[in-house]
Amino acid sequence: MSGGWQNSGRKQRLPSGWPKIRARILERDKTCVLCGVRPSRFCDHIVPKADLNGDADLQGVCGPCHDQKSSREGNEAQRANPRPGRQRPQEPHPGLR
């Protein structure tokens, strides 16, 4: 199973009826919609960080596909907003100022 909710703020943003929504999506998508092989275990938001919770915005996915999709989305987010490097910018030579 994936790392859970430790580094995510998503849990606090889920609607109060989330358990029923999740159950409905997993009943609808019994097999993972991404690989079409394994049973669905996760109710996945199709568009990351959009917080859209309608049936058309959610899909049932298996654990391996969920982990791979979440990892890809996290990597894309880091590339879009990289942390500053640890090296200081190069300063001009004091004699050339």
Side-chain angles (χ1 to χ4, degrees), residues 2-62:
S2 64
W5 298 97
Q6 299 98 313
N7 299 319
S8 174
R10 174 81 69 164
K11 188 174 185 179
Q12 291 77 27
R13 298 188 319 260
L14 292 174
S16 60
W18 180 251
K20 289 182 180 178
I21 295 169
R22 179 184 182 278
R24 186 171 62 244
I25 298 304
L26 295 180
E27 178 64 27
R28 179 191 73 191
D29 300 336
K30 293 182 187 317
T31 303
C32 176
V33 300
L34 299 177
C35 71
V37 176
R38 293 177 289 268
S40 294
R41 300 281 184 242
F42 292 86
C43 184
D44 178 63
H45 288 85
I46 296 171
V47 178
K49 305 232 183 226
D51 289 340
L52 302 172
N53 296 305
D55 287 9
D57 305 308
L58 301 167
Q59 61 189 356
V61 297
C62 66

Side-chain angles (χ1 to χ4, degrees), residues 62-79:
C62 66
C65 287
H66 183 264
D67 291 348
Q68 186 177 32
K69 180 177 181 276
S70 296
S71 177
R72 184 179 61 249
E73 291 168 354
N75 290 334
E76 289 170 359
Q78 283 184 343
R79 279 192 294 276

